[in-house]
Amino acid sequence: MKNISTISEFVLLGLTSTLELEIFFFCIFLLAYTAIMAGNLLIVITVTCDSHLHSTPMYFLLGNLSFLDMSLSTITTPKMVADFLREKKTISLWGCMAQMFFLHFLGGSEMTLLIVMAVDRYIAICKPLHYTAIMSQRVLVGSVLLSWAMVFTVNLPFCGPNIVDDIFCDLPLVIKLACTETYVLELLVIADSGLLSFICFTLLLISYTVILVTVRHGSSGGLSKALSTLSAHITVVTLFFGPCIFIYTWPFSSVSVDKFLSVFYSVITPLLNPIIYTLRNREMKSAMSRLRTQCFSFRHTF
């Protein structure tokens, strides 16, 4: 391998090569990223500052989910927005490796966190008398640390070509550029990312179904309340796992990564999560209202 010249950067083709569309996308995605940071940061600040929400397991986990969404979007979106104004869209080799590493690191963390949130809802709805004892502060902190402990890395030789037909570096397309046999690694990626995502998504849907069936046998009022609570979780789980399953489970040799799904995964999902959780949640709205009142009173004091 010493005689093979290695590449130092990758060329990203992006969404389009038309100047007018690039300016349009620049404005749209800049606004979207601003909204992502503002919405998720508002949730993090609200959960942190409100003593009631901070001590409630569901909102403690929601604050961590918002932080993960901000981090996931920051890995790809600022670079993508800046590239809309550049004629040559490149990323260094190590920048590409770092982007893939943190995408899978944070993606695995969010996957684990969504599973913990599903367990939290199951205990809260099906075992309410034991909820406080089971979802203790130690369990919550341990669950969050577990979600942050997910790690994925790749070490491959690259000697050309170096063109990635996407908006950011991701394994399915980058692996195809490696100067070595990657069939086994492709299967590992399908098993690790694609199959794992599909299994987790299926188990989560089954768990939500079990919760609804359990509550249905109790009372009709409890069913409507549980459905209202779980609808936000089911929507977020579908938005997160849907693109992951399609991207990483589809055969590498026949279908390339859909750019729309890449945008959906890195921009749309982090943008929608704060909207889904705040618009349908009275406690979050009340906490935000209290936070706004405190800010106004603090401003008038000084």
Side-chain angles (χ1 to χ4, degrees):
M1 296 298 295
K2 292 182 179 179
N3 295 328
I4 300 178
S5 58
T6 58
I7 63 174
S8 59
E9 63 181 20
F10 290 100
V11 177
L12 302 173
L13 296 185
L15 290 177
T16 181
S17 58
T18 306
L19 179 60
E20 291 78 9
L21 284 176
E22 286 190 328
I23 295 175
F24 173 75
F25 285 142
F26 170 80
C27 297
I28 293 296
F29 286 111
L30 181 60
L31 290 175
Y33 181 67
T34 304
I36 289 170
M37 298 303 292
N40 285 287
L41 188 60
L42 179 61
I43 290 180
V44 172
I45 293 175
T46 303
V47 172
T48 303
C49 296
D50 191 281
S51 57
H52 172 66
L53 294 186
H54 187 69
S55 60
T56 305
M58 183 182 77
Y59 296 106
F60 176 78
L61 297 173
L62 178 59
N64 280 273
L65 179 66
S66 294
F67 183 79
L68 283 173
D69 279 336
M70 287 192 296
S71 303
L72 265 172
S73 185
T74 300
I75 293 170
T76 58
T77 308
K79 166 69 175 167
M80 178 179 63
V81 170
D83 281 346
F84 285 129
L85 301 179
R86 294 172 181 160
E87 184 177 350
K88 187 178 182 182
K89 305 169 178 61
T90 61
I91 184 171
S92 67
L93 174 64
W94 288 109
C96 185
M97 295 298 109
Q99 202 172 60
M100 290 193 296
F101 170 81
F102 285 109
L103 272 176
H104 285 266
F105 175 83
L106 296 173
S109 300
E110 186 158 338
M111 183 186 302
T112 308
L113 194 62
L114 288 173
I115 295 173
V116 174
M117 292 177 74
V119 174
D120 170 77
R121 289 301 84 202
Y122 172 79
I123 297 173
I125 295 175
C126 298
K127 300 181 182 295
L129 297 179
H130 305 282
Y131 180 67
T132 305
I134 296 175
M135 298 302 292
S136 62
Q137 190 69 21
R138 180 182 298 178
V139 172
L140 286 174
V141 173
S143 301
V144 171
L145 291 177
L146 174 64
S147 69
W148 281 96
M150 304 295 292
V151 179
F152 186 93
T153 187
V154 63
N155 184 19
L156 292 172
F158 296 94
C159 52
N162 65 337
I163 297 177
V164 180
D165 190 10
D166 208 344
I167 57 175
F168 56 80
C169 290
D170 204 3
L171 278 174
L173 290 180
V174 175
I175 282 178
K176 294 167 65 175
L177 303 178
C179 304
T180 184
E181 177 57 49
T182 59
Y183 177 75
V184 175
L185 186 57
E186 290 176 4
L187 292 180
L188 287 175
V189 172
I190 291 176
D192 179 68
S193 298
L195 188 60
L196 184 62
S197 297
F198 179 75
I199 292 174
C200 290
F201 179 64
T202 305
L203 291 177
L204 284 171
L205 291 183
I206 292 174
S207 69
Y208 289 136
T209 304
V210 170
I211 293 174
L212 293 176
V213 171
T214 303
V215 174
R216 183 183 179 184
H217 292 304
S219 63
S220 58
L223 177 62
S224 60
K225 183 179 179 180
L227 188 60
S228 175
T229 303
L230 294 180
S231 59
H233 292 273
I234 295 173
T235 303
V236 169
V237 165
T238 304
L239 289 174
F240 177 79
F241 282 99
C244 290
I245 293 171
F246 187 89
I247 289 173
Y248 297 110
T249 308
W250 210 260
F252 283 69
S253 58
S254 59
V255 178
S256 62
V257 178
D258 194 330
K259 293 181 182 180
F260 170 76
L261 289 177
S262 298
V263 171
F264 199 93
Y265 177 77
S266 60
V267 179
I268 306 300
T269 299
L271 179 64
L272 292 179
N273 282 357
I275 300 174
I276 294 170
Y277 278 115
T278 54
L279 290 182
R280 297 179 59 86
N281 194 301
R282 293 180 181 178
E283 288 190 56
M284 184 62 73
K285 290 180 181 178
S286 300
M288 289 181 176
S289 178
R290 291 194 297 270
L291 181 63
R292 185 172 61 250
T293 303
Q294 291 175 3
C295 290
F296 280 133
S297 61
F298 180 80
R299 183 183 298 177
H300 288 310
T301 302
F302 291 93

